[in-house]
Amino acid sequence: MKKIIIINGPNLNLLGEREVDLYGTKTLKEIEKECCEKFKKDKLSLNFFQSNSESEIIDKIHICKNYNGMIINAGALTHTSIAIHDALKIIKIPKIEVHISNIYNREEFRKNSFISPVVNGIIAGFGTQVYQIAINSLKYLYDEKTG
């Protein structure tokens, strides 16, 4: 069974109630439930984690060596954290960066990601579907690797 860690950063615990015009009405728990149900048949173990603390996110990244893949939505830390960049660079598993909104048609400061250079790919702007798209993308990367 493939194990995937899905790391969520600051303020994503407030999905469903914050800026619903931008992020939609689904909560992080609802997104987790949808993903687990959809990919149950694929024998994937999905482990969701959320923290508003940069240090807790880094600590979680450090212990991800036993996972087969990682999806990360670092929220605003995407644009500020060299420490998360460095932690991701150390972990040698497939990694995908996700953003619910299209960070490239928002404020100028959101167009810079410190995470993008150390991940396999980026998925942004498809609402909460980015998580399912990312899981499918990790499955594709596994298939490519195993032939």
Side-chain angles (χ1 to χ4, degrees):
M1 180 177 282
K2 300 281 189 201
K3 294 177 12 180
I4 298 173
I5 181 84
I6 301 162
I7 297 175
N8 290 280
N11 301 313
L12 291 167
N13 57 309
L14 298 176
L15 284 176
E17 60 183 85
R18 69 177 279 236
E19 298 178 273
V20 294
D21 56 319
L22 195 56
Y23 299 112
T25 58
K26 288 183 187 167
T27 67
L28 192 55
K29 271 288 178 220
E30 290 170 327
I31 295 166
E32 178 178 357
K33 184 179 177 191
E34 282 180 356
C35 289
C36 289
E37 286 174 5
K38 180 172 174 88
F39 293 98
K40 189 176 190 174
K41 68 185 180 314
D42 295 303
K43 295 186 170 87
L44 295 175
S45 172
L46 304 178
N47 182 356
F48 275 71
F49 171 81
Q50 189 279 325
S51 178
N52 293 316
S53 167
E54 182 180 29
S55 66
E56 287 179 8
I57 292 168
I58 292 166
D59 288 343
K60 183 58 88 171
I61 292 168
H62 286 171
I63 62 169
C64 287
K65 294 174 191 144
N66 295 326
Y67 284 90
N68 302 101
M70 176 188 299
I71 296 166
I72 183 162
N73 182 346
L77 292 173
T78 300
H79 320 291
T80 62
S81 182
I82 295 168
I84 290 177
H85 164 103
D86 289 347
L88 288 169
K89 192 174 183 180
I90 294 166
I91 303 301
K92 302 300 182 201
I93 61 174
K95 300 172 287 281
I96 297 177
E97 173 185 356
V98 300
H99 299 283
I100 294 169
S101 67
N102 181 351
I103 61 174
Y104 299 101
N105 77 11
R106 294 188 58 198
E107 303 92 339
E108 196 62 34
F109 70 88
R110 292 189 197 276
K111 295 177 184 175
N112 181 47
S113 168
F114 285 108
I115 292 171
S116 296
V118 293
V119 297
N120 297 76
I122 307 158
I123 301 166
F126 294 99
T128 58
Q129 284 295 111
V130 295
Y131 293 94
Q132 291 184 32
I133 296 167
I135 294 166
N136 273 322
S137 298
L138 283 175
K139 285 174 41 185
Y140 170 79
L141 290 174
Y142 301 147
D143 291 345
E144 282 286 301
K145 199 174 194 181
T146 59

